Amino acid sequence: DTKNEAMPLVFVHGFPENHHCWDHLLSSLPDTVTKSLRFITYDLRGFGESSKSGEASISRLYEDHQTIIETLELPSYHFIGHDWGGALALQTARFKPQSLISATVMNTNFWKTDMSGMWHLIFLNIPLLPKIAFNWFPKQFFKFAMIQSFNDSSRLEPKILKSYFEMFCDTETTRYWIKLYKNMAKSLALQQIPHLSLILPQNKPQFPQRPTNSYHVSIMLVWGENDRFAPLWIGKDMLSRLTKRGANVAFYKISEAGHFVQEDQPEKIVPLLIELWNKNEKK
């Protein structure tokens, strides 16, 4: 069965995108490489064509991911994640390192968050304002929040941009996004001031027990140097923390790229991915 013999690669997107964010990168891979690989992409809960119901939290997205991996019967795989997808890759390296052949993390907030860059976190927690923006000014908000964040949005196919814009116009999707970032804000607040739990009660994240070999994985950090949401210092801090935790980690700064690095400069990332995959053969 060539499907089972092929090396599995699981790509997970971030906010506010869907699985199409990988289209340009995947099409940039040479045919000689793709013949031996199995590509898997999906929409996170609350995005694209996935369900917009259920808990809006990182722990639920992690559970969803593990369910997908178990359903596909993947004993081990390469994880490539951007933004929220990158956070899920790091959670997998934390709790199930034995399942990862390697992990690639792109422009992701995890241990640290730059609040000046994460303006959308603050915005989505303001009462009524995000609903007004999504319901009454979706085109303007889409252009401000997303289009201007690409290094060159004209490189994206119109159908891909259309799929992103449709999410901004979908009430169920935007309602889920608001819940997701409200829960994120609560988590960050409780990390800084634990006593806030008295007035900000929330369900504790349901993660498995952490193994002794947590983060002992080959991890590649890929960062667009012009990211306004997760600036370069976030990636450098992540490099330091992962190194201290025993990860075999490398860091690559991508010029002429912002937050959506895999779409801004896919041609620069492809060689790095191929080198990583070749160094880490299938378990």
Side-chain angles (χ1 to χ4, degrees):
D1 186 346
T2 55
K3 179 181 177 181
N4 291 331
E5 292 176 358
M7 182 185 295
L9 310 170
V10 181
F11 295 78
V12 185
H13 67 88
F15 175 84
E17 298 193 306
N18 53 47
H19 73 278
H20 288 298
C21 79
W22 305 109
D23 287 0
H24 198 174
L25 186 148
L26 293 178
S27 65
S28 299
L29 289 166
D31 293 338
T32 53
V33 172
T34 59
K35 290 179 180 179
S36 61
L37 304 177
R38 178 186 178 190
F39 301 102
I40 300 160
T41 65
Y42 69 88
D43 291 332
L44 290 169
R45 181 183 296 271
F47 296 78
E49 299 179 22
S50 287
S51 169
K52 313 303 185 298
S53 63
E55 182 185 353
S57 69
I58 184 65
S59 59
R60 183 55 187 267
L61 298 181
Y62 176 82
E63 289 176 11
D64 289 342
H65 177 76
Q66 296 306 323
T67 298
I68 290 170
I69 297 304
E70 292 170 8
T71 301
L72 295 174
E73 299 181 348
L74 302 181
S76 60
Y77 59 100
H78 292 283
F79 197 141
I80 303 91
H82 171 255
D83 193 79
W84 282 92
L88 293 178
L90 290 170
Q91 293 288 23
T92 304
R94 180 185 182 189
F95 296 112
K96 296 196 71 174
Q98 72 282 0
S99 69
L100 296 180
I101 306 172
S102 75
T104 299
V105 177
M106 303 180 182
N107 291 75
T108 296
N109 287 286
F110 194 68
W111 284 290
K112 291 286 187 176
T113 301
D114 185 275
M115 294 308 297
S116 62
M118 290 282 285
W119 63 266
H120 56 291
L121 169 63
I122 299 171
F123 177 81
L124 293 173
N125 276 273
I126 299 174
L128 297 178
L129 191 57
K131 291 183 179 180
I132 293 173
F134 285 125
N135 293 338
W136 293 93
F137 308 101
K139 288 185 179 180
Q140 294 87 338
F141 189 45
F142 178 66
K143 182 178 180 180
F144 171 78
M146 193 165 192
I147 294 297
Q148 294 182 353
S149 298
F150 289 106
N151 189 60
D152 181 7
S153 62
S154 66
R155 298 188 68 192
L156 274 66
E157 293 184 25
K159 67 176 184 180
I160 296 177
L161 287 176
K162 182 174 181 289
S163 75
Y164 296 160
F165 176 62
E166 287 174 347
M167 292 191 295
F168 276 70
C169 300
D170 183 75
T171 302
E172 290 187 353
T173 297
T174 57
R175 185 183 297 126
Y176 188 91
W177 290 354
I178 292 170
K179 289 195 301 180
L180 183 63
Y181 278 90
K182 281 187 175 181
N183 283 333
M184 181 181 180
K186 287 181 182 179
S187 297
L188 290 173
L190 288 169
Q191 286 176 15
Q192 297 297 320
I193 311 174
H195 291 301
L196 284 177
S197 59
L198 298 175
I199 58 175
L200 291 176
Q202 68 168 7
N203 296 328
K204 291 185 178 181
Q206 299 299 311
F207 288 116
Q209 185 175 357
R210 180 174 169 175
T212 55
N213 63 337
S214 183
Y215 294 112
H216 290 191
V217 176
S218 180
I219 299 176
M220 180 170 71
L221 303 178
V222 177
W223 230 264
E225 68 172 348
N226 300 323
D227 189 353
R228 295 184 293 110
F229 302 102
L232 202 57
W233 74 264
I234 294 284
K236 292 292 187 179
D237 178 79
M238 187 178 292
L239 171 64
S240 175
R241 290 172 184 267
L242 286 171
T243 300
K244 291 177 181 178
R245 286 165 170 77
N248 177 18
V249 58
F251 184 91
Y252 295 94
K253 179 179 68 175
I254 307 299
S255 60
E256 298 181 77
H259 183 66
F260 303 107
V261 60
Q262 75 278 20
E263 293 177 283
D264 282 340
Q265 296 293 341
E267 296 86 357
K268 293 181 180 179
I269 297 174
V270 162
L272 301 177
L273 290 172
I274 293 175
E275 182 180 5
L276 177 69
W277 299 338
N278 287 338
K279 282 183 179 179
N280 296 273
E281 295 183 1
K282 188 174 181 180
K283 297 178 181 178

